[in-house]
Amino acid sequence: MNKLTFYLSMLCCCLMLTACSENTVTEQQATTASTTEPQGLKDAADFPLGTAVNLRLLQRDTQLRQQILANLNSITAENDMKMRSIAHSRDSFNFAPADRMLAFAETNNMRLFGHALIWHSSSPDWLPALAEDPVALDNFMREYIHAYVGRYKGKVDGWDVVNEVMNTAGGEYRETLWYKALGKDYVAKAFTYAHEADPDAVLFYNDFNIERDTAKLHGALRMIEELQAQGIPISGLGFQMHTRMDIPNDVIAYTLQKGAETGLQIHLSEVDIIFNKHDDTQGGGVQVYDEITPELLDQQKEKYKELVRMYRSIVPKTQQYGITFWGVSDRYTWINGFFNLKDKPTIFDEQHQPKPAYHGVMEGVMMEVE
Ligand code: XIL
């Protein structure tokens, strides 16, 4: 079968899948769906493809679940595995949400990716008081990471160990509660503790805007070099890739190249592509387009395709940890709620039907690359 025939047959299957899945799929069918469903994006790709999703939606929205199972083979908890969900107090950790994510992943032969161990934006309310004592904070970090990563040893494939270490713009460390108490060493400590708990897990530093802000990228690279020189067990770099239509492809290509030169696993960990703008703060959206026209959706298709092509051609095969979308449906994208926008940044529309962007990804994974 040539590539065009393969692609067309997958398109047909996708339409059929959507037509027959409407509210008729039982829980039992959903969990066995991966063996009976037609081929999707994951079958065309030679690297892992995933999405972030909230447990609640996974359980409630059959059609979304079906699209995920048909197209993706890696899963990340959008919120359920963050510290706020897990660490109810200094000494009581509720692993139930993570257990449920793991059960879903195992039932459906998917990779489970852990997001995120240390992230300033997901600090439980009791944490700032603890952070007044640096020794106590360090002890907590060690115990939390040991308990969490240890529990899922050999089951969670990789972790965002530290998330968003650098300032929003530029190349300096973000002055978080962790940084203020422990200095930049908190990063090295977090990787060390995670490695102690699971020596085989792939351990990532993950950040946003490093595909566009080269000062920030270079700050991140300096930190990675220092960690590597100290023998700290960092094994991956995550480009969140919440990117925008007008971010130049050649800048993205440059940053991917620089990232790949670290020798680390490269994960496009939170991909979505917006049309409108924001200032990186909650509620800071600027609605540039009143309407997202079919022409704009076609341009988005090209952007998705080019992003996948660049990933495949710039990042060496052995360093391709995969591409993870930060949600796959425009109905539930975090972008609109978080930034107060009306945008369409994902690969499926509000009805979970493939957008041109979906076909862009399909073409990107199937095309010949050098
Ligand atoms: C976002 C979720 O998508 C939202 O539902 C939540 O309200 C805030 O966090 N960078 C990250 C992700 O690393 O964890 C964020 O996820 C999006 C930005």
Side-chain angles (χ1 to χ4, degrees), residues 193-253:
Y193 300 151
H195 186 67
E196 285 165 0
D198 185 354
D200 294 326
V202 191
L203 303 180
F204 284 84
Y205 153 54
N206 191 50
D207 220 323
F208 66 96
N209 286 5
I210 54 175
E211 90 289 2
R212 70 181 78 166
D213 178 344
T214 53
K216 181 165 182 173
L217 174 82
H218 285 288
L221 294 174
R222 272 196 302 278
M223 179 185 82
I224 290 168
E225 262 171 44
E226 277 177 32
L227 292 170
Q228 289 176 322
Q230 292 169 58
I232 301 302
I234 177 173
S235 38
L237 170 60
F239 286 74
Q240 289 188 5
M241 203 62 78
H242 294 293
T243 198
R244 205 176 58 212
M245 289 298 295
D246 63 347
I247 303 300
N249 289 337
D250 57 354
V251 175
I252 298 178

Side-chain angles (χ1 to χ4, degrees), residues 54 78-79 82 115 119 163-164 206 240 242 270 326 334 338:
N54 282 316
E78 183 168 348
N79 292 302
K82 292 172 178 171
H115 175 85
W119 182 34
N163 193 26
E164 304 184 353
N206 191 50
Q240 289 188 5
H242 294 293
E270 306 186 13
W326 207 247
W334 75 294
F338 192 86

